[in-house]
């Protein structure tokens, strides 16, 4: 009940004050440069990493990145920069 | 974010981690603040990545918990490079030392070539050079410049007229012009002694020959003093006449001395600047500019460095400014007269042979005109007036 109210409140704030959603709602911010770089902020940890797949834990659900020749350029507690040939970015809801 | 350059400089490692739960380990690394980059999965149970050398202790702690194994594949960055170069330093040190030695040897004197001198003079020249530090093995930038060497040699040696000193590579060339020393040989050819100047004879000492004049006689140039013919008439012998005939001779000289003279005088204050020259750029590296002089003498001393046969474009240059000031010297009439007399005397002495004696001096005339003092002097001098004249026998 309170959680839902909180979410509504956030939604309203985002709409009303024109604040970026990631700041207010604690969502991941994903920046892609073509298909070679993907930069993900606000993740909650690494779940799986192979040269064809990257799975990240988010606040709500997971993020799945598929492609080829992956390498992690940078990994920090809340940020990750992935390099490779990216073909898909998928959200997996819990 | 740090750039590539920072990674390169600080020590970093390329590592391989083998085991299970590698993702968990990476999460653990980030939580511990261990920075890794270029993470690449190799297969199911191994990955490679780069990490900083300074994080190694934290990594060990993380590894212990995970049960994975860590292999170091590559060591990069300045700390490792230093370590490696320390191992190879022998070669570097050797190379640098070699270059230094070649440089030093290239700037040494290897030969001193002396031309135009007989062995005795050459020997003295070498000794004089040695005295001022110029000898085989001396470094060229320690010894004085060729001009200075030249001046010193000429001043210190009375058997030479002139010495030219020149650098060519590692050889110092000295060209000597010897003084023509009069040959003091006793001539055994028949000769007379004749007067070379107008004089009154004051002293006679005849070693050999027949004196034809007496003390207090007045003689004119070319007059026979001691004859080479001796013996009675009819049975004369011809001998080389020898002896010392001193006569009183007279000299006149006129000297003009200005009563007021303006000239420059060095005050002894100087300022120096040392430059290093690269091609045409002059970079001062040491100077003591305390004051600017309004009037000065500038002196430039340039040194070049050689490497093998090449002259390096790097030069050393020393510029010395010596302050000078205008000095006005003013003589009173009496002082000017005294100076004029002194000058006249010095001039005369220079002109006379060393054994001549100035017996008396007289002021003939003195005048003061246009701020100058003109003095006319008359000197009585006792000197050897005899000069040999060979007897050429006819028939």
């Amino acid at each position: 009940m309170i959680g839902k109210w909180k979410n509504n409140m956030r939604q309203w704030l985002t709409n009303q004050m024109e604040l970026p959603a990631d700041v207010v709602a604690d969502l991941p911010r994903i920046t892609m440069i073509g298909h070679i770089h993907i930069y993900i902020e606000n993740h909650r940890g690494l779940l799986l990493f192979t040269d064809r797949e990257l799975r990240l834990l988010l606040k709500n659900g997971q993020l799945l990145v598929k492609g080829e020749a992956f390498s992690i350029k940078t990994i920090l507690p809340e940020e990750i920069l992935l390099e490779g040939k990216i073909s898909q970015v998928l959200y997996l809801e819990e | 974010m740090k750039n590539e350059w920072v990674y390169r400089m600080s020590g970093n490692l390329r590592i391989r981690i083998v085991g299970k739960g590698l993702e968990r380990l990476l999460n653990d690394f980030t939580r511990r603040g261990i920075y890794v980059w270029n993470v690449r999965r190799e297969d199911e149970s191994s990955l490679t990545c780069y990490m900083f050398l300074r994080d190694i202790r934290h990594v060990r702690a993380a590894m212990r918990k995970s049960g994975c194994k860590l292999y170091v594949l590559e060591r990069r960055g300045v700390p490792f490079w230093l370590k490696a170069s320390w191992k190879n330093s022998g070669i570097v040190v050797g190379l640098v030392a070699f270059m230094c030695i070649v440089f030093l040897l290239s700037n040494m004197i290897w030969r001193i070539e002396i031309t135009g001198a007989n062995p005795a003079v050459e020997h003295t020249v070498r000794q004089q050079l040695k005295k001022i530090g110029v000898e085989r093995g001396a470094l060229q930038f320690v010894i004085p410049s060729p001009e200075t060497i030249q001046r010193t040699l000429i001043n210190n040696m009375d058997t030479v007229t002139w010495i030219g000193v020149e650098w060519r590579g590692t050889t110092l060339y000295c060209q000597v012009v010897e003084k023509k020393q009069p040959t003091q040989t006793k001539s055994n050819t028949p000769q007379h002694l004749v007067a070379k100047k107008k004089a009154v004879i004051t002293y006679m000492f005849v070693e050999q020959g027949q004196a034809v004049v007496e003390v207090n006689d007045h003689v004119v140039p070319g007059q026979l003093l001691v004859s080479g013919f001796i013996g009675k008439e009819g049975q004369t012998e011809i001998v080389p006449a020898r002896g010392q005939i001193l006569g009183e001779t007279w000299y006149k000289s006129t000297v003009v001395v200005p009563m007021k003279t303006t000239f420059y005088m060095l005050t002894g204050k100087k300022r120096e600047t040392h430059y290093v020259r690269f091609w045409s750029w002059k970079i001062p590296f040491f100077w003591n500019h305390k004051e600017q002089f309004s009037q000065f003498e500038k002196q430039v001393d340039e040194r070049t460095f050689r490497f093998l046969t090449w002259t390096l474009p790097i030069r050393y240059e020393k510029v010395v400014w010596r302050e000078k000031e205008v000095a006005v010297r003013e003589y009173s009439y009496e002082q000017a007269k005294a100076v004029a007399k002194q000058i006249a005397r010095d001039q005369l002495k220079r002109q006379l042979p060393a054994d001549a004696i100035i017996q008396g001096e007289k002021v003939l005339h003195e005048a003061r005109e246009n701020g100058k003092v003109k003095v006319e002097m008359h000197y009585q001098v006792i000197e050897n007036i005899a000069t040999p004249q060979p007897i050429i026998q006819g028939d």
Side-chain angles (χ1 to χ4, degrees), chain B residues 193 203-208 226 242-246:
Chain B
L193 289 181
Y203 172 81
M204 284 182 79
F205 170 71
V206 179
E207 246 177 279
Q208 204 172 17
V226 180
R242 276 197 296 268
Q244 199 185 18
I245 317 294
L246 299 185

Side-chain angles (χ1 to χ4, degrees), chain B residues 58-258:
Chain B
H58 305 290
V59 169
R60 284 235 175 85
M63 296 302 295
R64 226 172 285 136
K65 255 173 47 182
S66 72
C68 297
K69 290 203 89 171
L70 182 141
Y71 302 93
V72 176
L73 302 178
E74 211 182 306
R75 294 168 175 87
R76 306 193 309 180
V78 173
F80 293 114
W81 181 79
L82 280 178
K83 222 172 171 180
S85 59
W86 181 248
K87 271 186 197 162
N88 300 334
S89 59
I91 293 170
V92 178
V93 167
L95 210 70
V96 169
F98 170 74
M99 297 296 252
C100 285
I101 288 167
V102 170
F103 176 73
L104 282 180
L105 293 183
S106 306
N107 287 285
M108 251 181 201
I109 300 173
W110 284 106
R111 216 147 58 95
I112 298 171
E113 188 107 318
I114 298 169
T115 50
N118 64 40
V121 174
E122 191 178 321
H123 181 71
T124 30
V125 169
R126 273 185 205 282
Q127 273 186 328
Q128 286 289 339
L129 285 172
K130 205 168 190 174
K131 216 185 272 174
I132 52 173
V134 182
E135 56 187 317
R136 179 188 280 197
L139 288 173
Q140 287 178 18
F141 27 79
V142 178
I143 63 161
S145 66
E147 292 79 32
T148 319
I149 297 174
Q150 190 169 328
R151 210 168 42 238
T152 324
L153 283 181
I154 294 171
N155 289 347
N156 288 358
M157 294 186 61
D158 45 8
T159 50
V160 297
T161 313
W162 182 82
I163 298 179
V165 179
E166 197 195 350
W167 270 123
R168 239 178 280 155
T170 52
T171 310
L172 188 75
Y173 288 89
C174 297
Q175 186 157 19
V176 180
V177 178
E178 274 183 65
K179 254 182 204 165
K180 290 270 180 290
Q181 295 282 54
T183 41
Q184 295 281 2
T185 50
K186 275 193 175 177
S187 66
N188 282 318
T189 54
Q191 61 178 25
H192 295 304
L193 289 181
V194 298
K196 61 181 167 191
K197 283 181 186 149
K198 193 171 87 174
V200 170
I201 293 166
T202 54
Y203 172 81
M204 284 182 79
F205 170 71
V206 179
E207 246 177 279
Q208 204 172 17
Q210 178 68 50
V212 284
V213 288
E214 281 173 35
V215 173
N216 291 331
D217 277 2
H218 182 268
V219 294
V220 292
Q223 190 180 337
L224 187 65
L225 301 176
V226 180
S227 171
F229 298 107
I230 54 168
K232 282 182 195 147
E233 209 156 329
Q235 30 183 264
T236 50
E237 261 183 84
I238 307 172
V239 292
R242 276 197 296 268
Q244 199 185 18
I245 317 294
L246 299 185
E248 189 186 293
T249 52
W250 308 279
Y251 290 86
K252 227 194 242 181
S253 69
T254 309
V255 174
V256 179
V257 172

